[in-house]
Amino acid sequence: MQVQLVKVVENKKIADKIYKLTLEGSIVNEMDTAGQFVNIKVGKGREFLLRRPISICEINKEEQTFVIVYRVNGEGTKCISKLNVGDMVDVLGPLGKGYDITTLIKGETALLVGGGIGVPPLYELAKKFNEKGVNTIHVLGFNNKKDVFYKDKFEKLGTTYVATADGTYGEKGFVTDIIKKYNIQYDKYYSCGPLAMLKALKNMDSEHIGYISLEERMACGVGACYACVCNKIDGMVSRVCYDGPVYKADEIAV
């Protein structure tokens, strides 16, 4: 983990209120695990007190770049969306515990389930699984057609299904509907998205081992402030930014 000024290589809109930000800097050398995140300092003054936590979507060590995909839903992310090529950004990271790709071996199948802005960290995970010979099946959920992104990228790595709540793209319904409809077979599942989606997925499948990544409001990002805690099954309290955001599904009370 380090703080570093990184350079904006690209910052473009890829869906409704969704932006892809490519950043360049040697901090990428510390990024080895899919599912981790970075904390972005917003603005150049003190107009924004807290950094914005955004998951890492792609890692490219050869080019010394990494990609974050974010949704503009407040003044902070609106400010980030106005960054131009060549601008410098203060980044703290990589942070948190990501997905453990050693949980599957070559020839096994991982089901990757993402909802909305929970989709981005699963792309790097899919790449890493593919690199070690693990098959990946992707089920991506969005509200409607204008929200859909990265479908083409996932399709290059494995079978990909898209569900939209209103049926304007792909299958109408939720990610769990897709899994049931096509009787998708897999060894373990890995997910990230809204709490309701994670809960439905966990309740649907108690047979397979699953891993979930929680989306929580974070302040410090390093486990010091206890602003992003969640409850574990054993009664303990866990800091999502430090102990997570990725957990075994049967560890967390969702």
Side-chain angles (χ1 to χ4, degrees):
M1 177 183 69
Q2 61 174 282
V3 177
Q4 186 178 114
L5 284 176
V6 297
K7 185 170 68 174
V8 175
V9 175
E10 180 184 60
N11 191 23
K12 68 175 183 177
K13 188 176 183 180
I14 59 173
D16 184 41
K17 298 182 181 179
I18 303 295
Y19 287 75
K20 175 185 176 183
L21 174 61
T22 304
L23 299 166
E24 179 183 17
S26 61
I27 191 174
V28 74
N29 294 324
E30 294 192 24
M31 298 177 179
D32 296 304
T33 307
Q36 290 185 296
F37 66 96
V38 291
N39 247 6
I40 306 292
K41 187 178 187 302
V42 182
K44 298 181 179 180
R46 298 182 179 180
E47 63 269 41
F48 297 99
L49 177 63
L50 300 177
R51 292 173 178 263
R52 268 44 178 189
I54 305 174
S55 60
I56 300 167
C57 177
E58 299 182 49
I59 301 168
N60 189 326
K61 293 192 177 183
E62 289 186 2
E63 296 182 2
Q64 291 285 278
T65 62
F66 66 98
V67 172
I68 59 175
V69 173
Y70 62 97
R71 177 190 290 125
V72 175
N73 59 1
E75 291 302 316
T77 46
K78 183 178 180 180
C79 182
I80 294 174
S81 73
K82 294 179 180 179
L83 289 170
N84 297 310
V85 173
D87 286 348
M88 302 303 291
V89 183
D90 186 310
V91 171
L92 170 65
L95 302 170
K97 292 181 173 62
Y99 298 97
D100 182 1
I101 63 170
T102 67
T103 50
L104 289 179
I105 61 175
K106 184 177 180 179
E108 291 188 311
T109 299
L111 174 63
L112 276 53
V113 185
I117 206 63
V119 168
L122 297 180
Y123 181 64
E124 182 64 30
L125 179 62
K127 288 200 311 181
K128 290 190 179 301
F129 270 140
N130 274 255
E131 288 170 1
K132 67 174 293 187
V134 173
N135 304 310
T136 57
I137 300 173
H138 322 111
V139 181
L140 314 178
F142 302 94
N143 284 326
N144 50 57
K145 181 178 180 179
K146 65 182 181 179
D147 296 329
V148 177
F149 63 91
Y150 264 54
K151 172 181 174 286
D152 294 344
K153 284 179 169 287
F154 277 98
E155 285 179 330
K156 293 177 181 178
L157 299 175
T159 301
T160 302
Y161 303 89
V162 174
T164 51
D166 65 358
T168 51
Y169 191 92
E171 305 265 353
K172 183 177 182 179
F174 304 106
V175 292
T176 47
D177 297 326
I178 295 290
I179 297 169
K180 293 175 184 177
K181 178 179 179 178
Y182 292 99
N183 191 28
I184 298 174
Q185 301 298 304
Y186 54 93
D187 293 290
K188 294 176 183 177
Y189 69 84
Y190 305 78
S191 59
C192 183
L195 193 59
M197 186 203 82
L198 299 178
K199 184 176 182 178
L201 182 61
K202 180 180 176 180
N203 290 340
M204 183 198 74
D205 188 353
S206 59
E207 178 183 351
H208 295 87
I209 295 174
Y211 298 85
I212 61 178
S213 180
L214 299 180
E215 297 177 342
E216 291 286 345
R217 289 186 177 275
M218 299 177 185
C220 70
V222 295
C225 69
Y226 281 78
C228 61
V229 297
C230 67
N231 295 318
K232 299 184 71 176
I233 295 294
D234 61 10
M236 300 296 289
V237 171
S238 180
R239 300 162 294 178
V240 175
C241 70
Y242 185 78
D243 304 310
V246 176
Y247 297 89
K248 282 186 66 176
D250 59 7
E251 292 179 339
I252 301 299
V254 295

